[in-house]
Amino acid sequence: MAPAGPAALTVEDLTVAYGDKPAVWDMDLAIPAGVLAAVVGPNGAGKSTLLKAALGLIRPVAGRVRFFGEPLHRVRPRVAYVPQRASVDWDFPATALDVALMGTYGRLGWFRRPGSAEIQTARAALDRVGLAALEARQIGELSGGQQQRVFLARALVQKADLYLMDEPFQGVDAVTEEAIVGVLRELRSAGKTAIVVHHDLATVTDYFDWIALLNVKLIAAGPIGNTFTPERLQAAYGRVPLLS
Amino acid sequence: MAPLELTLTAVLTACALAVPGVFLLLRRQTLLGDALGHVVLPGIAAGALLAGSVRSPWVVLGATASGVLAVTIVEWLERQRLVRSDAALGLVYPALFAVGVILITRAPRGLHLDADAVLLGELHLAPLRRLTWGAVDVPWSLAVMSLLFVVNLAFVLLAYKELAITTFDPDHARGQGVPPGPIHYALMTLVALTIVAAFDAAGPVLVVAFLAAPAATAHLLTNRLNWLLVYAVAVAGLGATLGVELAMRCNLNMSGAVAGMVGTLFAAAVLFAPRYGLVAQEVRRWRLRKEFERGLLAVHLAHHEGTEAAEEECRADRLGEHLAWPETKVTRVLQSAMRAGLVTADGALVRLTGSGRDLARRLVG
């Protein structure tokens, strides 16, 4: 399958450092549109940092990032981000529906309030992740997996073409894992792209069709069939990880 | 009855501070608000020295500017990752305050500028300074605080969704093109401005009390942002009214009485808030325990129902031994289970009713 348009995400010569310690070192990476891509590597490999730098949440020391061939500010509505669940305070006074609605705020523009059309979109997204019944629940009273699905719903509401997800499978129950995988497959059928930081090597080949293996530097990237090999894993992890 | 002007001044000062106080609480920056109240001093001093008067727009401008400067320095320090955020605040706050004190002690004698005059407003003195404009004659503080209440409320209503999203998840907000920075600085500017004005009206103790307590009280009463704002304003208004009344009746220091009243409302909410209060939590826990005990009894009876052992296991006077419960507990649980219609007494035997059997089945699955 040859990618028709420009790559969903192109990273050129990207270096990101905390102090003088590089977390991402001179990375070149192009992830084609229409794939479900896993970003895989050991702890401290710079997976989350890559995502954050691409989105401009961390300023890179060097390098360029393009989404669909354009700088982010030109295509912002086409890109949605699902941060790690632990990055926010779940005591915030809001319901699941309130948080899902926040996905419409970018499109609404300054000072405009969401109306019934936006509420309908948010409800539909909650339904897609299996949380329709819990829309009025305070977010702090949801389980970890449910909170992760609220985040996913908020991203779906943005109706983006590219979804960047930071460890959505981290510490979630089986129901949530299934729901997220279901949504990922729906996204792919609809021609969307997802780039997902992923930890569980055992499920990589089941869930994804493209992979970027990194350990501060890019080790390998490409379709999963010829990239997810023991030699590459050894290079990324320093040993061959056990696939349970 | 307290004079209406005094009560109104207290209420509007409280409400003007309570509105931004809600967002300071949610951003875990209530202490920044407190510190802001002190770092405005160098700005006030510089403004007064520049204008040659304590009552000049330059003073307000200077105060607001030094407040924003302080926030900028604190955030810059945080970004360097050399000190933690609370330490950054603790470093910047005394430094700027000290600059203010030095500036003030260098002021010419004729200027009537000293730290007391700037920082220690007293609520009961507020009506002395008047604003007269044609037929209008109101306390200066009442006019200023009313204006700031309206401005703060307008800002929060207008930028409601921007404040909500940048407070809850700044990264996600930035990803959607809602920049957290400008929203944050707009909020901090309003906080600094309101604090400076409120110092003059009510003094520093009340300023901190109004900034922190109504929002914290409201947070115990609701888990919706819109209601949080409504409750915070209501608590602020109620506390101010009751506090002024209390001070007048009992001849107490007014700032102390009002601050005490706002604190009392908070304490009452900690204890008695319908859902999150300590009493409600304790009652909920107690109910759950009762329910669990009844359920356990039902499961035990269902387990042995219709077996040969039933004669032994389900006798009221043998239950204590089998469940390893003291007799008082057995009696209590049995009575509660009978009242709930889960069991009936059949001579010495305890028998499950239909609903008791259902409960046991539900629990064991």
Side-chain angles (χ1 to χ4, degrees), chain A residues 177-242:
Chain A
E177 182 145 348
E178 227 166 84
I180 298 175
V181 171
V183 167
L184 285 175
R185 291 190 175 143
E186 276 175 46
L187 289 173
R188 180 174 49 193
S189 325
K192 314 286 190 185
T193 313
I195 301 174
V196 182
V197 174
H198 193 56
H199 249 307
D200 184 7
L201 294 173
T203 53
V204 167
T205 45
D206 291 342
Y207 296 171
F208 299 97
D209 47 27
W210 214 91
I211 188 171
L213 258 172
L214 43 128
N215 189 354
V216 184
K217 289 182 214 163
L218 183 70
I219 305 294
I224 211 142
N226 52 32
T227 312
F228 193 64
T229 62
E231 300 78 49
R232 259 58 181 274
L233 285 173
Q234 161 111 43
Y237 286 83
R239 61 184 173 83
V240 182
L242 295 172

Coordinates of all heavy atoms in Angstrom, one line a residue, chain A residues 177-242:
Chain A
E177 N -9.4 -2.0 27.4 CA -8.4 -2.4 26.3 C -9.2 -2.7 25.0 O -8.9 -2.3 23.9 CB -7.6 -3.5 26.8 CG -6.5 -3.9 25.8 CD -5.2 -4.3 26.4 OE1 -5.0 -4.1 27.6 OE2 -4.3 -4.9 25.7
E178 N -10.3 -3.5 25.2 CA -11.1 -4.0 24.1 C -11.7 -2.7 23.4 O -11.7 -2.6 22.2 CB -12.2 -4.9 24.5 CG -12.3 -6.2 23.8 CD -13.2 -7.1 24.5 OE1 -14.4 -7.0 24.5 OE2 -12.6 -8.0 25.3
A179 N -12.2 -1.8 24.2 CA -12.9 -0.7 23.7 C -11.9 0.2 22.9 O -12.3 0.7 21.8 CB -13.5 0.2 24.8
I180 N -10.7 0.4 23.4 CA -9.7 1.2 22.7 C -9.3 0.6 21.4 O -9.3 1.2 20.4 CB -8.5 1.4 23.6 CG1 -8.9 2.2 24.9 CG2 -7.4 2.2 22.9 CD1 -7.8 2.4 25.9
V181 N -9.1 -0.8 21.4 CA -8.7 -1.5 20.2 C -9.8 -1.3 19.2 O -9.6 -1.1 18.0 CB -8.4 -2.9 20.5 CG1 -8.2 -3.7 19.2 CG2 -7.1 -3.0 21.4
G182 N -11.1 -1.5 19.6 CA -12.2 -1.3 18.7 C -12.2 0.0 18.1 O -12.4 0.1 16.8
V183 N -12.0 1.1 18.8 CA -12.0 2.4 18.3 C -10.8 2.6 17.3 O -11.0 3.2 16.2 CB -11.9 3.4 19.4 CG1 -11.6 4.8 18.9 CG2 -13.2 3.5 20.2
L184 N -9.7 2.0 17.7 CA -8.5 2.2 16.8 C -8.8 1.5 15.4 O -8.5 2.1 14.3 CB -7.3 1.5 17.4 CG -6.6 2.2 18.5 CD1 -5.5 1.3 19.1 CD2 -6.0 3.5 18.0
R185 N -9.5 0.4 15.4 CA -9.8 -0.3 14.2 C -10.8 0.5 13.4 O -10.7 0.6 12.1 CB -10.3 -1.7 14.4 CG -9.1 -2.6 14.9 CD -9.4 -4.0 15.1 NE -8.1 -4.6 15.4 CZ -8.0 -5.7 16.3 NH1 -9.0 -6.2 16.8 NH2 -6.8 -6.1 16.6
E186 N -11.8 1.1 14.1 CA -12.8 1.9 13.4 C -12.1 3.1 12.7 O -12.4 3.5 11.6 CB -13.8 2.5 14.4 CG -14.9 1.6 14.7 CD -15.8 2.2 15.8 OE1 -16.1 3.4 15.8 OE2 -16.1 1.5 16.8
L187 N -11.1 3.7 13.4 CA -10.4 4.8 12.9 C -9.7 4.4 11.6 O -9.7 5.1 10.6 CB -9.4 5.4 13.9 CG -10.0 6.1 15.1 CD1 -8.9 6.4 16.1 CD2 -10.7 7.4 14.7
R188 N -9.0 3.2 11.7 CA -8.3 2.8 10.5 C -9.2 2.6 9.3 O -8.9 3.0 8.2 CB -7.5 1.5 10.8 CG -6.7 1.1 9.5 CD -5.8 -0.1 9.9 NE -6.5 -1.1 10.6 CZ -5.9 -2.1 11.2 NH1 -4.6 -2.2 11.2 NH2 -6.6 -3.1 11.8
S189 N -10.4 2.0 9.6 CA -11.4 1.7 8.5 C -11.8 3.0 7.9 O -12.2 3.1 6.7 CB -12.6 1.0 8.9 OG -12.2 0.0 9.9
A190 N -11.8 4.1 8.7 CA -12.3 5.4 8.2 C -11.1 6.2 7.6 O -11.3 7.3 7.2 CB -12.9 6.2 9.4
G191 N -10.0 5.5 7.4 CA -8.9 6.1 6.8 C -8.1 7.1 7.6 O -7.2 7.8 7.2
K192 N -8.3 7.0 9.0 CA -7.6 7.9 9.9 C -6.2 7.2 10.3 O -6.0 6.0 10.0 CB -8.4 8.1 11.2 CG -9.8 8.4 10.9 CD -10.0 9.8 10.4 CE -11.4 10.2 10.4 NZ -11.6 11.6 9.8
T193 N -5.4 8.0 11.0 CA -4.1 7.5 11.4 C -4.1 7.6 12.9 O -4.6 8.6 13.5 CB -3.0 8.4 10.8 OG1 -3.2 8.6 9.4 CG2 -1.6 7.7 11.0
A194 N -3.4 6.6 13.6 CA -3.2 6.7 15.0 C -1.7 6.4 15.3 O -1.2 5.4 14.7 CB -4.1 5.8 15.8
I195 N -1.1 7.2 16.2 CA 0.2 6.9 16.6 C 0.2 6.7 18.1 O -0.2 7.7 18.8 CB 1.2 8.1 16.2 CG1 1.2 8.2 14.7 CG2 2.6 7.8 16.7 CD1 1.9 9.4 14.2
V196 N 0.5 5.5 18.6 CA 0.2 5.2 19.9 C 1.5 4.7 20.7 O 2.2 3.8 20.2 CB -0.8 4.0 20.0 CG1 -1.2 3.6 21.4 CG2 -2.1 4.4 19.2
V197 N 1.8 5.4 21.8 CA 2.9 4.9 22.6 C 2.4 3.6 23.3 O 1.3 3.6 23.9 CB 3.3 5.9 23.7 CG1 4.3 5.3 24.6 CG2 3.9 7.2 23.0
H198 N 3.2 2.5 23.1 CA 2.7 1.2 23.6 C 3.8 0.5 24.3 O 4.9 0.6 24.0 CB 2.2 0.4 22.4 CG 1.4 -0.8 22.7 ND1 0.3 -0.7 23.5 CD2 1.6 -2.1 22.4 CE1 -0.2 -1.9 23.6 NE2 0.6 -2.8 23.0
H199 N 3.4 -0.3 25.4 CA 4.4 -0.9 26.2 C 4.4 -2.4 26.1 O 5.4 -3.1 26.3 CB 4.1 -0.6 27.7 CG 5.1 0.3 28.3 ND1 6.5 0.0 28.2 CD2 5.1 1.5 28.9 CE1 7.2 1.0 28.8 NE2 6.4 1.9 29.2
D200 N 3.2 -3.0 25.7 CA 3.0 -4.4 25.8 C 3.4 -5.0 24.4 O 2.7 -5.1 23.5 CB 1.6 -4.7 26.1 CG 1.3 -6.2 26.3 OD1 2.3 -7.0 26.3 OD2 0.2 -6.6 26.4
L201 N 4.7 -5.6 24.4 CA 5.2 -6.1 23.2 C 4.4 -7.3 22.7 O 4.3 -7.6 21.5 CB 6.7 -6.6 23.4 CG 7.6 -5.4 23.6 CD1 9.0 -6.0 24.0 CD2 7.7 -4.5 22.4
A202 N 3.7 -8.0 23.6 CA 2.9 -9.2 23.3 C 1.8 -8.9 22.3 O 1.3 -9.7 21.6 CB 2.4 -9.9 24.5
T203 N 1.2 -7.6 22.5 CA 0.0 -7.3 21.7 C 0.3 -6.4 20.5 O -0.6 -6.1 19.7 CB -1.0 -6.6 22.6 OG1 -0.4 -5.5 23.2 CG2 -1.6 -7.5 23.6
V204 N 1.6 -6.0 20.3 CA 1.9 -5.1 19.2 C 1.4 -5.6 17.9 O 0.8 -4.8 17.1 CB 3.4 -4.8 19.2 CG1 3.8 -4.1 17.9 CG2 3.9 -4.0 20.4
T205 N 1.7 -6.8 17.6 CA 1.4 -7.3 16.2 C -0.1 -7.5 16.1 O -0.6 -7.4 15.0 CB 2.1 -8.7 16.0 OG1 1.9 -9.5 17.1 CG2 3.6 -8.5 15.7
D206 N -0.9 -7.7 17.2 CA -2.3 -7.8 17.1 C -3.0 -6.5 16.8 O -3.9 -6.4 16.0 CB -2.9 -8.4 18.4 CG -2.5 -9.8 18.6 OD1 -2.1 -10.5 17.6 OD2 -2.6 -10.3 19.7
Y207 N -2.5 -5.4 17.5 CA -3.2 -4.2 17.5 C -2.7 -3.2 16.3 O -3.4 -2.4 15.9 CB -3.0 -3.4 18.8 CG -3.6 -4.1 20.0 CD1 -3.3 -3.7 21.3 CD2 -4.4 -5.2 19.9 CE1 -3.9 -4.3 22.4 CE2 -5.0 -5.9 21.0 CZ -4.7 -5.4 22.2 OH -5.2 -6.0 23.3
F208 N -1.4 -3.4 15.9 CA -0.9 -2.3 15.1 C -0.4 -2.9 13.7 O -0.1 -4.1 13.6 CB 0.3 -1.6 15.8 CG -0.2 -0.9 17.1 CD1 0.0 -1.5 18.3 CD2 -0.8 0.3 17.0 CE1 -0.5 -0.9 19.4 CE2 -1.2 0.9 18.1 CZ -1.1 0.3 19.4
D209 N -0.2 -2.1 12.7 CA 0.3 -2.6 11.5 C 1.6 -1.8 11.1 O 2.2 -2.1 10.0 CB -0.7 -2.4 10.3 CG -1.4 -1.1 10.3 OD1 -0.8 -0.1 10.8 OD2 -2.6 -1.0 9.9
W210 N 2.0 -0.9 12.0 CA 3.2 -0.1 11.7 C 3.9 0.1 13.0 O 3.3 0.2 14.0 CB 2.8 1.2 11.1 CG 3.7 1.7 10.0 CD1 3.7 1.5 8.7 CD2 4.8 2.6 10.3 NE1 4.7 2.2 8.1 CE2 5.4 2.9 9.0 CE3 5.4 3.2 11.4 CZ2 6.5 3.7 8.9 CZ3 6.4 4.0 11.3 CH2 7.0 4.3 10.0
I211 N 5.2 0.2 13.0 CA 5.9 0.3 14.3 C 7.1 1.2 14.2 O 7.8 1.3 13.1 CB 6.4 -1.1 14.8 CG1 6.9 -0.9 16.3 CG2 7.4 -1.7 13.9 CD1 7.1 -2.3 16.9
A212 N 7.4 2.0 15.2 CA 8.6 2.8 15.3 C 9.3 2.3 16.6 O 8.7 2.4 17.7 CB 8.3 4.3 15.4
L213 N 10.4 1.7 16.5 CA 11.2 1.2 17.6 C 12.2 2.3 18.0 O 13.0 2.6 17.1 CB 11.9 -0.1 17.2 CG 11.3 -1.4 17.7 CD1 12.1 -2.5 17.0 CD2 11.4 -1.6 19.2
L214 N 12.2 2.7 19.2 CA 13.2 3.7 19.6 C 13.8 3.5 20.9 O 13.3 2.9 21.8 CB 12.7 5.2 19.4 CG 11.3 5.5 20.0 CD1 11.4 6.7 20.9 CD2 10.4 5.9 18.8
N215 N 15.1 4.0 21.0 CA 15.7 4.1 22.3 C 16.6 5.3 22.2 O 17.8 5.2 21.9 CB 16.6 2.8 22.6 CG 17.1 2.8 24.0 OD1 16.9 3.8 24.7 ND2 17.7 1.8 24.4
V216 N 16.0 6.4 22.5 CA 16.6 7.8 22.4 C 16.9 8.1 20.9 O 16.4 9.0 20.3 CB 17.9 8.0 23.2 CG1 18.4 9.4 23.1 CG2 17.6 7.7 24.7
K217 N 17.6 7.1 20.2 CA 17.7 7.2 18.7 C 16.6 6.3 18.1 O 16.1 5.4 18.8 CB 19.1 6.8 18.3 CG 20.2 7.7 18.6 CD 21.5 7.2 18.1 CE 22.6 7.6 19.0 NZ 23.8 6.8 18.7
L218 N 16.3 6.6 16.9 CA 15.4 5.7 16.2 C 16.1 4.4 15.8 O 17.2 4.5 15.2 CB 14.9 6.4 14.9 CG 13.8 5.5 14.2 CD1 12.5 5.5 14.9 CD2 13.6 6.1 12.8
I219 N 15.6 3.3 16.2 CA 16.2 2.0 15.9 C 15.7 1.5 14.6 O 16.5 1.1 13.7 CB 15.9 0.9 17.0 CG1 16.3 1.4 18.4 CG2 16.6 -0.4 16.6 CD1 17.8 1.7 18.6
A220 N 14.4 1.5 14.4 CA 13.8 1.0 13.1 C 12.4 1.5 13.0 O 11.8 1.7 14.1 CB 13.9 -0.5 13.1
A221 N 11.9 1.7 11.8 CA 10.5 2.1 11.7 C 10.0 1.5 10.3 O 10.8 1.4 9.4 CB 10.4 3.6 11.6
G222 N 8.8 1.0 10.3 CA 8.3 0.5 9.1 C 7.1 -0.4 9.4 O 6.6 -0.5 10.5
P223 N 6.5 -1.1 8.3 CA 5.4 -2.0 8.5 C 5.8 -3.1 9.5 O 7.0 -3.5 9.5 CB 5.2 -2.6 7.1 CG 5.8 -1.6 6.2 CD 7.0 -0.9 6.9
I224 N 4.9 -3.5 10.3 CA 5.2 -4.4 11.4 C 5.9 -5.7 11.0 O 6.8 -6.2 11.7 CB 4.0 -4.6 12.3 CG1 4.4 -4.7 13.8 CG2 3.2 -5.8 11.9 CD1 3.5 -4.1 14.7
G225 N 5.4 -6.2 9.9 CA 5.9 -7.6 9.4 C 7.4 -7.6 9.3 O 8.0 -8.6 9.8
N226 N 8.0 -6.7 8.7 CA 9.5 -6.8 8.5 C 10.3 -5.9 9.5 O 11.5 -5.8 9.3 CB 9.9 -6.6 7.1 CG 9.3 -5.2 6.6 OD1 9.1 -4.3 7.3 ND2 8.9 -5.2 5.3
T227 N 9.6 -5.2 10.4 CA 10.3 -4.4 11.3 C 10.4 -4.9 12.7 O 11.4 -4.7 13.4 CB 9.7 -3.0 11.4 OG1 9.5 -2.5 10.0 CG2 10.6 -2.0 12.1
F228 N 9.4 -5.6 13.1 CA 9.3 -6.1 14.5 C 10.0 -7.5 14.6 O 9.4 -8.5 14.7 CB 7.8 -6.3 14.9 CG 7.5 -6.5 16.3 CD1 7.8 -5.6 17.2 CD2 6.9 -7.7 16.8 CE1 7.6 -5.8 18.6 CE2 6.7 -7.9 18.1 CZ 7.0 -6.9 19.0
T229 N 11.3 -7.4 14.5 CA 12.1 -8.6 14.5 C 13.0 -8.7 15.8 O 13.3 -7.7 16.4 CB 13.1 -8.6 13.3 OG1 14.0 -7.5 13.4 CG2 12.3 -8.5 12.0
P230 N 13.4 -9.9 16.2 CA 14.2 -10.1 17.4 C 15.5 -9.2 17.3 O 15.9 -8.6 18.3 CB 14.6 -11.6 17.4 CG 13.5 -12.2 16.6 CD 13.1 -11.2 15.6
E231 N 16.1 -9.1 16.1 CA 17.4 -8.3 16.1 C 17.1 -6.9 16.4 O 17.8 -6.2 17.1 CB 18.0 -8.4 14.7 CG 18.4 -9.8 14.2 CD 17.1 -10.6 13.7 OE1 16.4 -10.0 12.9 OE2 17.0 -11.7 14.2
R232 N 16.0 -6.3 15.9 CA 15.6 -4.9 16.1 C 15.3 -4.7 17.6 O 15.7 -3.7 18.2 CB 14.4 -4.6 15.3 CG 14.6 -3.8 14.0 CD 15.6 -4.4 13.0 NE 15.8 -3.7 11.8 CZ 15.0 -3.7 10.7 NH1 13.9 -4.4 10.7 NH2 15.4 -3.0 9.7
L233 N 14.5 -5.7 18.1 CA 14.2 -5.6 19.6 C 15.4 -5.6 20.4 O 15.6 -4.8 21.4 CB 13.3 -6.7 20.0 CG 11.8 -6.6 19.5 CD1 11.0 -7.8 19.8 CD2 11.2 -5.4 20.1
Q234 N 16.4 -6.5 20.1 CA 17.6 -6.5 20.8 C 18.3 -5.2 20.7 O 18.9 -4.7 21.7 CB 18.5 -7.6 20.1 CG 20.0 -7.5 20.5 CD 20.4 -8.6 21.4 OE1 20.1 -9.8 21.2 NE2 21.2 -8.3 22.4
A235 N 18.3 -4.6 19.6 CA 19.0 -3.3 19.4 C 18.3 -2.2 20.3 O 18.9 -1.3 20.8 CB 19.0 -2.8 17.9
A236 N 16.9 -2.3 20.4 CA 16.2 -1.3 21.1 C 16.3 -1.5 22.6 O 16.5 -0.6 23.4 CB 14.7 -1.3 20.7
Y237 N 16.2 -2.8 23.1 CA 16.1 -3.0 24.5 C 17.5 -3.5 25.1 O 17.6 -3.7 26.3 CB 15.1 -4.1 24.8 CG 13.7 -3.6 24.6 CD1 13.1 -3.5 23.4 CD2 13.0 -3.2 25.8 CE1 11.8 -3.0 23.3 CE2 11.7 -2.7 25.7 CZ 11.1 -2.6 24.4 OH 9.8 -2.1 24.3
G238 N 18.5 -3.7 24.2 CA 19.8 -4.2 24.7 C 19.8 -5.7 25.0 O 20.8 -6.3 25.3
R239 N 18.6 -6.4 24.8 CA 18.5 -7.8 25.0 C 17.2 -8.2 24.3 O 16.4 -7.3 23.9 CB 18.5 -8.2 26.4 CG 17.3 -7.7 27.1 CD 17.3 -8.0 28.6 NE 16.2 -7.3 29.3 CZ 14.9 -7.7 29.3 NH1 14.6 -8.8 28.7 NH2 14.0 -7.0 29.9
V240 N 17.0 -9.5 24.1 CA 15.7 -9.9 23.5 C 14.7 -10.0 24.5 O 14.8 -10.8 25.4 CB 15.9 -11.2 22.8 CG1 14.6 -11.6 22.1 CG2 17.0 -11.2 21.7
P241 N 13.7 -9.1 24.5 CA 12.6 -9.1 25.6 C 11.8 -10.4 25.4 O 11.6 -10.9 24.3 CB 11.8 -7.9 25.3 CG 12.5 -7.2 24.2 CD 13.4 -8.1 23.5
L242 N 11.3 -10.9 26.5 CA 10.4 -12.1 26.5 C 9.1 -11.6 26.0 O 8.5 -10.7 26.6 CB 10.4 -12.7 27.9 CG 11.7 -13.3 28.4 CD1 11.5 -13.7 29.9 CD2 12.1 -14.5 27.6

